[in-house]
Amino acid sequence: MTSIRSSRLALRSLLFVPGNRESMLRKAAGARPDVFVPDLEDSVPAAEKANARETVERLVGMIAATGRPVFPRLNGIDTIWLEDDARALIGPDVTGVSVGKIRTPDDIRRIDALLADAERASGLPVGRTRLIPWIETAAAVLDALRIATASPRVVALAFGAEDLTLDMGIRRSSDDSEVSVARSLTCLAAAAAGVPALDTPFFAFRDDAALERNAEASKRIGFRGKFAIHPDQLATIQRVFSPSPEELEEARKVIAAFEEAAREGRGSTSLEGRVVDVPVVERARALIASASNGPEVDG
Ligand code: COA
Ligand code: MG
């Protein structure tokens, strides 16, 4: 089985908060996402970039005090802001950072070096800060596996549908059909790299039933979690990406049947008319392990 590098890092629900909105950052600290994502990038206008950086720097300790990881989204590699963002925010309260509009594995290596500089400047061990790259350019989708493996800092791939459709010059639709291949390629690359794939936010934030359908569809093709843009989306996302009591019960039955067969010297058996063999029991074990994921991070 592939080892998931971030196995102790739960990444089911990730809450975006615009970094220049102090009241929202304070409010966010009362929410219960697996991960907080204070945003310095596209929810912050150019004139507000410095204010957002300063506001997040000042409040990140308060957010980290919830015990949940904080992964600020920094400005992209081709902007004038990225270096200052990293220098201001890298520190003990920041588990990792997220960076949008990645194009190549070399982008990851450049960010890696920049984070190493910021870590040295803050007296932190080099390599401590994790990285979640956004796969949201055509180039990145086609090179997602090499991007995911370009640095051991990478703990997940985030898929961004809005920027991808912009990059491709196509219209964004509500059924995701125009990004279905890119979504699957991102999930395949993440699985091959042994990291979770995280899905693009769902913008119709008042429509819970539509969010649930959207998240279920994501989960079916391999996404392990999803970004939220509003705290009201967290419960649905958390529920969809957590195993249900029925799934857990089924997994326990599969494991019990397999172990009983193993005691009798058999490598496969059946349960209610279906074969239970090694991959089936491994999937059941992975499901149970995923249920006990906590927000703790190792290292
Ligand atoms: N984080 C923290 N608090 C949030 C929030 C978020 N992402 N989204 C909304 N809230 C707060 C609001 O400030 C409001 O607080 P209040 O009751 O103290 O006034 C409360 O939750 C209810 O908000 P609501 O009135 O339902 O929504 P809104 O119209 O204020 O905000 C958005 C809607 C879409 C503008 C807002 O959710 C938002 O900015 N989301 C983040 C967008 C983002 O980060 N985009 C970048 C990634 S694509
Ligand atoms: Mg984007």
Side-chain angles (χ1 to χ4, degrees):
M1 224 174 56
T2 4
S3 74
I4 301 280
R5 256 180 258 152
S6 54
S7 57
R8 294 185 56 212
L9 185 61
L11 296 166
R12 289 163 297 214
S13 58
L14 305 93
L15 179 60
F16 264 123
V17 194
N20 59 332
R21 304 289 298 273
E22 175 153 355
S23 65
M24 282 196 189
L25 289 162
R26 291 189 181 280
K27 185 155 194 121
R32 293 282 169 270
D34 280 344
V35 176
F36 291 98
V37 188
D39 186 28
L40 303 185
E41 199 213 27
D42 281 351
S43 66
V44 178
E48 283 283 297
K49 293 294 186 190
N51 175 36
R53 184 188 301 131
E54 183 275 324
T55 305
V56 173
E57 184 180 9
R58 185 159 44 82
L59 296 180
V60 71
M62 177 215 44
I63 300 171
T66 59
R68 284 153 199 265
V70 186
F71 275 72
R73 182 168 71 170
L74 311 185
N75 287 289
I77 189 135
D78 294 326
T79 70
I80 56 170
W81 301 299
L82 176 60
E83 264 189 65
D84 289 342
D85 290 349
R87 213 170 298 133
L89 293 188
I90 299 311
D93 293 325
V94 165
T95 300
V97 297
S98 172
V99 182
K101 301 176 187 58
I102 299 298
R103 291 186 188 278
T104 65
D106 204 49
D107 287 352
I108 299 295
R109 288 187 279 272
R110 282 167 62 197
I111 294 167
D112 187 319
L114 208 117
L115 294 176
D117 285 345
E119 286 167 338
R120 277 187 285 268
S122 322
L124 291 172
V126 170
R128 174 192 181 277
T129 309
R130 314 300 171 92
L131 176 59
I132 301 182
W134 282 80
I135 304 301
E136 55 183 356
T137 63
V141 169
L142 294 174
D143 221 354
L145 176 56
R146 293 202 311 140
I147 288 170
T149 53
S151 162
R153 294 181 190 273
V154 175
V155 290
L157 293 182
F159 175 70
E162 306 302 323
D163 273 297
L164 180 63
T165 48
L166 172 67
D167 193 42
M168 292 177 69
I170 57 176
R171 280 170 64 175
R172 182 85 177 98
S173 75
S174 57
D175 69 1
D176 281 338
S177 53
E178 75 287 1
V179 288
S180 67
V181 170
R183 287 157 72 83
S184 288
L185 285 173
T186 303
C187 289
L188 282 161
V195 297
L198 311 173
D199 196 23
T200 202
F202 186 73
F203 277 9
F205 64 89
R206 306 256 185 245
D207 192 342
D208 222 44
L211 170 64
E212 179 164 5
R213 286 193 298 275
N214 175 277
E216 290 283 3
S218 305
K219 181 179 172 176
R220 272 198 300 278
I221 64 168
F223 284 107
R224 295 282 197 268
K226 190 172 175 73
F227 288 83
I229 53 159
H230 191 292
D232 288 355
Q233 295 184 311
L234 291 172
T236 299
I237 292 175
Q238 195 69 27
R239 185 178 68 249
V240 169
F241 290 101
S242 301
S244 67
E246 295 74 28
E247 285 173 314
L248 287 170
E249 178 56 28
E250 175 67 20
R252 282 190 204 99
K253 278 198 218 161
V254 163
I255 293 167
F258 186 84
E259 286 175 351
E260 194 187 317
R263 276 193 297 277
E264 294 162 5
R266 287 182 292 134
S268 67
T269 182
S270 73
L271 178 70
E272 290 154 13
R274 279 166 299 129
V275 174
V276 174
D277 61 2
V278 172
V280 175
V281 78
E282 287 297 331
R283 277 204 306 272
R285 286 180 179 136
L287 184 103
I288 288 180
S290 75
S292 53
N293 266 351
E296 302 78 19
V297 204
D298 47 0

